[in-house]
Amino acid sequence: MMLQVCPIPAFSDNYIWCVSDPETHQAVVVDPGEAAPVFAHLESHSLNLQAVLVTHHHPDHVGGVSPLVEAFDCPVIGSKHAAYKGITQAYEDQQQFALFGTPFTVIDVPGHTLDHIAFYSPADTGRHQLPWLFCGDTLFSGGCGRIFEGTPEQMWSSLQRLARLPDNTLVFCAHEYTLSNLRFARHTLPADEAIAAYEARCKTKRDRNLPTVPSDLATEKRINLFLRAKDLELAARLGVEVNTDKPPELATFTALRKAKDTF
C-alpha cells in the first residue's frame, strides 16, 4: 500500500511533515517544532508514531520532540554532528536507513546551520511513486534559508547537491514562505514569465488556504533564483561583475542572499 505524506501546520508558517502507512497505522514526523498539533493529527488519524526525523537544531524544528518521544518511546533520527542532543539514531552524510521498508539517505547540507541535513528517499515501487526530499530550512519553494551559521559557499554547495537529485523529486520544505520568496523573485526579475505564472498559481492555493508545497525540483530550477545563480542576466541585475576567467555564480548567490535578507 502507498505511503501518505501530510503537512501538519504549526506556529504561524511551519509545516511538520507526517509520513504514514495506512495499512499498519504507523507514522513518522519530520521537524516537530511543537507537539500539540502532532498529537492531534496522530489521534484523529489513528496513527502510532514510529520515529522522529530532525534536520537541524532550531527550536521551531525540535521543540516538540521530547513530549513525543516520552509518549511513544520512539527513536529520534538525525545527524551524527547534530547540535541537538536528543538524537538517538545518528547518521553521517550519505548513510542510509529504512522506514516502512523504504530507504532514506542522509545528505549533509550546511549553510542555514552547520549541522543541517536533508532526508532523501528515491521512488520506491508500491510505496511512493516519486522521490521525496525533506529539506528543512535549506531549500524553500522559490527561495532558500538564511545563512545563520555557515557561509555562502557552504549554502551554495548544499543547494547544488540538492539540485542534482532527479527533477521529479518532491520538495517537502518546512515553511510556507513561497509567496514571500516569489515577491522577491518578481522584484529582482520582473519580466520572468515562469516566476509570474508560478506566483499566480501559488496565490490561488493560498487564497483557498492550501499549502504551496511540496514543489518539485524541475519547478524550482525554473523559478527559484537561488538555484539560478549561473544566470548571467541575474548577475547583471544584481550588479555582479561578470568576466570569463571566474564563474559568477558564488558572487551572484551571495549578492542574492544579501538582497533577500533586507527585502
Side-chain angles (χ1 to χ4, degrees):
M1 185 174 290
M2 301 296 288
L3 300 176
Q4 299 177 348
V5 186
C6 179
I8 303 174
F11 304 113
S12 61
D13 53 30
N14 282 65
Y15 289 130
I16 301 166
W17 292 103
C18 179
V19 184
S20 61
D21 184 340
E23 183 174 16
T24 65
H25 298 281
Q26 296 294 308
V28 302
V29 293
V30 185
D31 287 349
E34 57 179 341
V38 177
F39 280 124
H41 181 84
L42 296 174
E43 182 177 4
S44 66
H45 292 81
S46 301
L47 296 171
N48 181 60
L49 192 63
Q50 176 182 335
V52 173
L53 276 59
V54 170
T55 63
H56 66 292
H57 64 268
H58 283 168
D60 64 320
H61 292 253
V62 300
V65 173
S66 292
L68 293 170
V69 170
E70 183 176 350
F72 291 97
D73 191 28
C74 61
V76 181
I77 300 172
S79 170
K80 190 172 182 179
H81 309 287
Y84 176 63
K85 301 306 180 185
I87 304 298
T88 60
Q89 289 186 10
Y91 293 91
E92 297 268 16
D93 180 47
Q94 295 301 304
Q95 285 190 319
Q96 293 187 344
F97 60 92
L99 293 170
F100 311 109
T102 194
F104 284 77
T105 301
V106 168
I107 305 174
D108 282 349
V109 283
H112 180 68
T113 65
L114 292 176
D115 65 343
H116 206 304
I117 60 173
F119 299 98
Y120 172 72
S121 182
D124 188 359
T125 303
R127 303 306 277 163
H128 58 100
Q129 294 179 339
L130 296 173
W132 291 344
L133 176 68
F134 297 94
C135 51
D137 288 357
T138 296
L139 175 65
F140 297 126
S141 186
C144 74
R146 285 178 178 261
I147 301 171
F148 287 117
E149 297 176 6
T151 65
E153 291 91 341
Q154 286 176 314
M155 181 63 97
W156 172 243
S157 177
S158 293
L159 291 172
Q160 292 306 289
R161 293 193 76 184
L162 299 183
R164 288 192 288 270
L165 296 172
D167 278 354
N168 63 345
T169 300
L170 296 179
V171 178
F172 296 95
C173 60
H175 288 276
E176 184 57 73
Y177 288 165
T178 308
L179 290 183
S180 173
N181 290 332
L182 293 175
R183 282 193 295 271
F184 171 72
R186 292 270 285 146
H187 170 79
T188 307
L189 291 181
D192 191 297
E193 294 181 359
I195 294 173
Y198 186 63
E199 183 184 37
R201 292 197 299 273
C202 289
K203 282 181 176 178
T204 299
K205 289 182 178 180
R206 294 309 293 152
D207 287 344
R208 298 174 180 172
N209 201 32
L210 296 173
T212 61
V213 290
S215 178
D216 61 72
L217 279 179
T219 298
E220 293 307 312
K221 289 176 183 179
R222 289 195 302 271
I223 60 88
N224 192 325
L225 299 188
F226 293 91
L227 297 180
R228 290 172 50 183
K230 297 179 182 180
D231 187 330
L232 297 183
E233 178 189 359
L234 180 57
R237 288 282 300 180
L238 293 166
V240 174
E241 184 177 349
V242 177
N243 60 65
T244 57
D245 299 325
K246 185 178 180 181
E249 52 259 35
L250 179 57
T252 301
F253 174 79
T254 302
L256 195 63
R257 185 62 261 178
K258 183 177 180 181
K260 179 63 169 67
D261 287 346
T262 56
F263 180 72

